[in-house]
Amino acid sequence: KNEVEQSPQNLTAQEGEFITINCSYSVGISALHWLQQHPGGGIVSLFMLSSGKKKHGRLIATINIQEKHSSLHITASHPRDSAVYICAESNFGNEKLTFGTGTRLTIIP
Amino acid sequence: NAGVTQTPKFQVLKTGQSMTLQCAQDMNHEYMSWYRQDPGMGLRLIHYSVGAGITDQGEVPNGYNVSRSTTEDFPLRLLSAAPSQTSVYFCASSYSTGTYEQYFGPGTRLTVT
């Protein structure tokens, strides 16, 4: 059974700090997704990657296929980054996604 | 584009009642899916569809029914609501399968008393 584990479960940091959220998965993947869920409840896709690294603004996502591990980094964090960050994986031949339980990030001004 | 729309946003049902959660997308996506989100748990797949006329069960299908008569619409039916179905429900779509970017609807918060 595919399993996706995220750490930490909760993270509180001061504005401006560099943030790292980790995601580990148990089987080979075709894609790893990072999603953001704001307090209002809506879920948006941040990144989808299968190798290497992607960057969008202050957000960077990396993946290490050999170690079955992905990280989401936020540089110069801001209170508006406060949200739940969710990773999910899909694997070859399987149309479904398996989700982690999320990391709740709170950035204090 | 409206993206993925869901109705209603909130619903309260009594045990045993039935209802349909609506989901529609205007991006011509083949893949659509329904998830439930409960505290402390990751999103769990209820049912999914890889195209019009094709549906399949996910991880937690019991008590739910789906159909996909058009590419745009993917309604989720609760046959006889139970308190265990109290949850937040999300519909999502993508071009094709989980290997593509996922687009989520705003969610429906359902309470069964």
Side-chain angles (χ1 to χ4, degrees):
Chain A
K1 183 178 181 244
N2 303 341
E3 290 189 354
V4 177
E5 293 189 1
Q6 289 185 237
S7 63
Q9 286 192 333
N10 295 283
L11 178 58
T12 300
Q14 292 291 131
E15 183 173 356
E17 286 189 38
F18 181 81
I19 303 298
T20 296
I21 298 170
N22 298 298
C23 177
S24 298
Y25 51 92
S26 59
V27 298
I29 63 165
S30 56
L32 191 291
H33 300 255
W34 281 102
L35 310 166
Q36 182 191 56
Q37 184 172 26
H38 270 287
I43 300 172
V44 296
S45 176
L46 295 175
F47 296 104
M48 188 184 67
L49 66 167
S50 54
S51 64
K53 175 175 160 178
K54 286 192 175 180
K55 184 173 190 290
H56 185 259
R58 295 180 293 106
L59 273 59
I60 303 164
T62 63
I63 189 166
N64 184 317
I65 299 295
Q66 287 73 30
E67 295 186 3
K68 296 186 174 61
H69 181 268
S70 176
S71 293
L72 177 69
H73 304 287
I74 305 175
T75 62
S77 58
H78 190 276
R80 66 175 175 264
D81 297 324
S82 297
V84 175
Y85 293 84
I86 302 168
C87 73
E89 61 91 9
S90 63
N91 49 74
F92 294 106
N94 186 345
E95 296 120 345
K96 309 166 199 176
L97 290 172
T98 302
F99 293 82
T101 54
T103 294
R104 184 175 299 276
L105 174 66
T106 304
I107 304 297
I108 300 170
Chain B
N1 287 351
V4 180
T5 58
Q6 287 184 239
T7 55
K9 279 189 182 285
F10 302 93
Q11 182 72 48
V12 178
L13 290 178
K14 292 189 187 317
T15 297
Q17 288 184 316
S18 63
M19 78 159 295
T20 299
L21 306 185
Q22 301 291 345
C23 174
Q25 52 89 12
D26 61 357
M27 297 173 281
N28 204 31
H29 284 167
E30 291 296 326
Y31 186 80
M32 296 186 74
S33 49
W34 276 103
Y35 299 93
R36 58 178 290 173
Q37 186 178 42
D38 301 295
M41 306 186 76
L43 288 157
R44 291 185 292 167
L45 181 65
I46 304 170
H47 285 284
Y48 67 101
S49 168
V50 299
I54 306 168
T55 63
D56 206 347
Q57 295 181 351
E59 184 184 352
V60 288
N62 292 342
Y64 308 95
N65 207 355
V66 292
S67 60
R68 183 100 179 267
S69 55
T70 67
T71 299
E72 293 78 20
D73 299 299
F74 190 43
L76 177 73
R77 295 181 189 85
L78 278 69
L79 309 172
S80 176
S84 61
Q85 293 178 304
T86 294
S87 188
V88 181
Y89 291 85
F90 288 96
C91 177
S93 75
S94 68
Y95 173 70
S96 174
T97 76
T99 316
Y100 292 82
E101 183 176 357
Q102 304 290 304
Y103 294 81
F104 285 82
T108 295
R109 185 174 294 275
L110 175 69
T111 302
V112 182
T113 61

